[in-house]
Amino acid sequence: MSREVIVVTAAYGREKVVELGGQQALLPVIAQAGADGVEIRRELFSEPELQNLPALGQAIRDHNLVAFYSVPEPLFNPAGELTSNLQHYFSEAAQLNARLIKFSLGHYQPGTRLSELKERLSRQSIRLVVENDQTADCGILPALSAFFQDVTDQRLPLEMTFDMANWHWVDESPLTAVQQLSQYVGYIHVKAAIASQKGWRAIALDDADNLWPALLAQLPSDAPRGIEFPLEGNDLTAVTRHYVNIVKKD
């Protein structure tokens, strides 16, 4: 079975994105590699891209790619309130013609009534997903489990982005996390990591152990799979195609 594969522009590294003049320059690479879509990262925007999002959205369509949009902001601020920038970021996503918008969880307080978020989502066609990030107080299993249980109980139309490696940064077991959270997952960040003297770092799948396929086997088979591990080499199209083919498979 062939899976939908999304390439995250951050996989190429900030320096490469800057060198090329922005994320739009990566679209031919991603399209020629056989990917289905691109995850645009707000933190990697060049100033021209940020000022002309419709042009970037059109370029994505011209390359026959779907767009996902990642915002480097938590859904809930330190006071436990919904971010005040939610509508602004949804507007940016709409200009990109994005199918999905991704936030980290932030400081959600379990048991919170989510009526405001539910009402806002009822007016949106763009899917909202919440990712487990690398923050020790928010990207942890108890917080995410409580949030998605509340989401389910209150019938909100949102899902989880399951980042397979971020659990290492917060000293959580990815295998335990997948057992508890797989039912909520609508998007997967395929990633592997190893420990180093400077902490955890992401690595290419060819350099990884067998944890990542074990995790994939327990995650929804129809969820899009995002490549977020390092894509490096002299021929970025060939490197990207190699991993797109791997990630597309079971």
Side-chain angles (χ1 to χ4, degrees):
M1 178 180 178
S2 181
R3 316 296 183 187
E4 185 176 44
V5 176
I6 309 297
V7 177
V8 182
T9 56
Y12 299 98
R14 179 180 292 274
E15 288 186 7
K16 177 59 68 173
V17 173
V18 172
E19 175 190 327
L20 294 174
Q23 295 174 86
Q24 184 170 330
L26 289 165
L27 299 180
V29 172
I30 294 169
Q32 292 167 21
D36 301 288
V38 58
E39 181 183 313
I40 297 295
R41 303 293 284 244
R42 193 178 195 276
E43 69 271 22
L44 295 181
F45 274 142
S46 64
E47 191 59 31
E49 284 179 329
L50 185 57
Q51 297 302 318
N52 197 1
L53 296 180
L56 177 56
Q58 184 60 54
I60 294 170
R61 290 192 293 274
D62 289 345
H63 285 87
N64 296 314
L65 298 169
V66 298
F68 287 9
Y69 187 42
S70 174
V71 175
E73 183 168 322
L75 190 59
F76 294 90
N77 66 26
E81 300 166 340
L82 195 63
T83 174
S84 60
N85 294 321
L86 186 64
Q87 186 56 47
H88 175 74
Y89 292 135
F90 264 105
S91 176
E92 291 181 345
Q95 292 178 69
L96 292 170
N97 196 35
R99 193 173 80 189
L100 173 152
I101 186 169
K102 179 175 70 66
F103 289 81
S104 60
L105 178 58
H107 298 266
Y108 176 73
Q109 298 174 2
T112 297
R113 293 302 302 168
L114 297 168
S115 53
E116 179 185 358
L117 179 58
K118 186 174 184 178
E119 192 276 329
R120 292 196 182 198
L121 292 179
S122 71
R123 294 184 272 116
Q124 295 290 345
S125 59
I126 301 170
R127 291 169 51 206
L128 173 64
V129 291
V130 173
E131 180 183 25
N132 57 296
D133 65 6
Q134 298 175 4
T135 56
D137 54 346
C138 302
I140 55 177
L141 188 51
L144 287 150
S145 293
F147 173 69
F148 283 106
Q149 184 59 61
D150 287 347
V151 163
T152 300
D153 291 344
Q154 299 180 45
R155 299 183 179 181
L156 268 70
L158 65 85
E159 294 175 300
M160 180 182 185
T161 294
F162 189 97
D163 187 294
M164 295 162 55
N166 280 353
W167 303 106
H168 296 301
W169 273 263
V170 298
D171 295 322
E172 296 272 17
S173 164
L175 289 169
T176 300
V178 78
Q179 291 168 6
Q180 294 189 24
L181 298 172
S182 63
Q183 63 184 308
Y184 308 119
V185 173
Y187 179 35
I188 303 163
H189 268 180
V190 179
K191 190 195 301 182
I194 58 171
S196 67
Q197 291 182 342
K198 296 182 179 180
W200 289 91
R201 64 181 179 88
I203 58 173
L205 298 187
D206 285 348
D207 301 322
D209 59 21
N210 292 323
L211 177 60
W212 70 267
L215 291 169
L216 269 182
Q218 298 181 62
L219 288 163
S221 60
D222 58 347
R225 297 174 173 184
I227 293 177
E228 204 196 15
F229 50 85
L231 295 173
E232 301 169 330
N234 294 327
D235 188 338
L236 289 179
T237 301
V239 171
T240 305
R241 183 183 298 115
H242 170 69
Y243 286 114
V244 166
N245 290 337
I246 289 174
V247 172
K248 271 185 179 289
K249 297 176 183 177
D250 289 335

